[in-house]
Amino acid sequence: MRRVAVTGMGVVSPLGGSVVEVYANAARGRSGIHLLDVAFAPRLNAPLAATAPFDGAAHFEPPRLRMLDRSSQFALVAARQALADANCDRSAVDPYRAGSFVGTGMGGSQSNDDGYQTLYAEGSDRIKPFTVLMGMHNAGAAWIAIDHQLRGPSLTYSTACSSSAVAIGEAWLRVAGGSLDLAIAGGAEAPLSFGSMKAWEALHTLAMIDASDPSASCKPFSKDRSGMVLGEGAAMVVLEPWDRAVARGATIHGEVLGYGLTTDTGHITRPSVEGQAAAMRAALQSASLGPLAIEAINAHGTGTLANDAVETAAIKAVFGSRASAIPISATKAMHGHLLGASGALECVLSLLAMQHSVVFPTLHLATADPECDLDYVPNVTRTQFPARTMLSNSFAFGGTNAVLVLRAACDG
């Protein structure tokens, strides 16, 4: 297995539209969650979301824009950023050994919602001609491959909330195994359509509005947590063999060391300690590391009652008495839950945390929960913490648990 370097990163998110902006806002503990000011807001029980400050018209000409769902727009812009950051001469890479790997939970949900509005609410048969192309889950990966002439695998993973962690892990396997020399991997999600938000609301997993501060409504690991807040955006990383990156003088942001993947089979929405712990152990095994090597964790940390307690117990099961000494960030308190794109955004945040020797905070953690009694870095970024190796956890409805092992850029 070859070492795999991360040489490019790109983001469009509720914390900003560039890697620099995302780091600055995360480090200062800014929440991107807010009350929604849209026409359908009065019909939501809790009109909250974490929206990306993004206008597709600033990035695409009108004829192109008409073919792109918002999720594909996010994917393309984040991919452009990541490839520009990697500064790679793609003419030096066999295009059949380069691929795109994208995770999404809901695909082009806004485009599909618009089509249903036309059909059922307006009683019209005049559906937009590109509705299928805009709504299909693989649109983002396909457009990235087309725009950048990546003629190897173009693969889309849809495993709900772990989709983009799976995409990065699967891309890592191919680069590490020698079948690819370049991969762009990550996720994109734009789930803030009316139909999507009402469907999530019906599951009773969304947070209630914090009356004193709506931006504080997502409270992972806090006793008074009430659920997750939906977000939108995309994050992408460029992966290439370490030796190739070093030889061309690339700036290396970090390294993907391992990837663990397991499936809970007890219930389609109920997480299990056993499954999450097994995914973390599998990730460590794939990286040839023991639990002592992990210095920080980016938790899945959704802010739901069940997930946070189960994840806490799973971390204890893997790390034993040392679990309480590992700082754990739940960054969804800041950027919301980007569903299929969350794992990729959290991968980028983990790499940034190691680059800057910080641990990002778990915001809005004011009330201790006896079931969640680990070091969650409450409310304020922890500075001067030079972690070298991190886990990034992503767990999902449907039971797919994906864990990435990440290392700071170093020669050893």
Side-chain angles (χ1 to χ4, degrees):
M1 297 287 279
R2 303 186 294 185
R3 291 178 69 184
V4 177
V6 178
T7 56
M9 300 190 295
V11 289
V12 175
S13 85
L15 294 180
S18 71
V19 169
V20 170
E21 190 177 7
V22 165
Y23 171 74
N25 284 324
R28 71 171 185 245
R30 173 190 171 272
S31 173
I33 294 168
H34 58 90
L35 291 173
L36 272 177
D37 182 18
V38 292
F40 59 79
R43 295 183 63 185
L44 297 174
N45 293 336
L48 288 165
T51 57
F54 180 89
D55 179 6
H59 301 277
F60 304 98
E61 294 298 322
R64 182 78 184 283
L65 195 60
R66 287 193 290 271
M67 299 181 72
L68 299 173
D69 181 81
R70 188 168 172 86
S71 64
S72 292
Q73 296 169 37
F74 290 156
L76 282 166
V77 172
R80 285 178 192 169
Q81 288 182 20
L83 287 164
D85 183 38
N87 194 27
C88 176
D89 178 8
R90 288 194 298 285
S91 67
V93 179
D94 181 348
Y96 290 98
R97 291 180 58 83
S100 61
F101 298 74
V102 177
T104 183
M106 302 189 70
S109 64
Q110 182 64 63
S111 296
N112 290 327
D113 216 31
D114 289 346
Y116 298 143
Q117 171 73 15
T118 299
L119 277 175
Y120 303 126
E122 299 170 10
S124 171
D125 293 331
R126 296 181 63 84
I127 299 294
K128 292 179 182 178
F130 298 126
T131 295
V132 169
L133 303 182
M134 295 168 74
M136 64 190 192
H137 279 56
N138 67 319
W143 281 120
I144 291 169
I146 290 167
D147 275 12
H148 302 286
Q149 292 297 290
L150 310 178
R151 300 189 180 193
S154 171
L155 296 174
T156 301
Y157 301 88
S158 192
T159 58
C161 309
S162 59
S163 298
S164 56
V166 170
I168 292 170
E170 295 296 318
W172 168 76
L173 284 171
R174 285 165 175 79
V175 176
S179 64
L180 291 182
D181 293 324
L182 181 74
I184 182 157
E189 203 79 87
L192 304 182
S193 66
F194 179 45
S196 168
M197 295 193 74
K198 288 300 288 185
W200 278 101
E201 186 178 280
L203 278 173
H204 302 290
T205 58
L206 300 184
M208 296 182 292
I209 297 172
D210 184 302
S212 62
D213 181 4
S215 73
S217 297
C218 183
K219 309 172 191 293
F221 300 110
S222 187
K223 179 71 171 176
D224 58 348
R225 65 190 183 276
S226 62
M228 65 187 196
V229 175
L230 293 175
E232 63 174 2
M236 298 288 168
V237 295
V238 173
L239 305 179
E240 57 183 297
W242 182 276
D243 291 346
R244 181 186 290 263
V246 170
R248 70 178 185 85
T251 297
I252 296 176
H253 299 298
E255 183 175 1
V256 180
L257 286 182
Y259 163 55
L261 191 65
T262 65
T263 302
D264 287 322
T265 58
H267 191 278
I268 198 165
T269 65
R270 190 177 304 131
S272 80
V273 174
E274 178 187 10
Q276 293 186 5
M280 286 184 265
R281 291 191 184 105
L284 290 170
Q285 183 178 12
S286 78
S288 299
L289 296 177
L292 289 174
I294 301 304
E295 295 162 292
I297 297 173
N298 192 308
H300 187 55
T302 59
T304 62
L305 289 173
N307 176 80
D308 292 1
V310 167
E311 187 169 12
T312 298
I315 291 170
K316 289 179 179 179
V318 174
F319 294 97
S321 60
R322 187 172 166 266
S324 59
I326 302 172
I328 300 165
S329 301
T331 55
K332 289 182 179 73
M334 293 187 277
H335 54 68
H337 197 339
L338 276 64
L339 303 179
S342 281
L345 178 57
E346 289 158 15
C347 173
V348 168
L349 286 167
S350 299
L351 293 167
L352 288 170
M354 289 189 288
Q355 280 183 11
H356 294 274
S357 296
V358 303
V359 185
F360 294 124
T362 299
L363 293 187
H364 325 310
L365 207 173
T367 308
D369 183 345
E371 290 190 89
C372 301
D373 57 354
L374 299 177
D375 177 10
Y376 304 112
V377 194
N379 304 312
V380 179
T381 293
R382 188 167 299 165
T383 59
Q384 298 181 339
F385 189 91
R388 186 166 177 257
T389 309
M390 287 185 66
L391 290 187
S392 185
N393 289 344
S394 296
F395 308 128
F397 283 173
T400 301
N401 305 307
V403 177
L404 299 172
V405 186
L406 307 168
R407 176 162 285 176
C410 57
D411 293 330

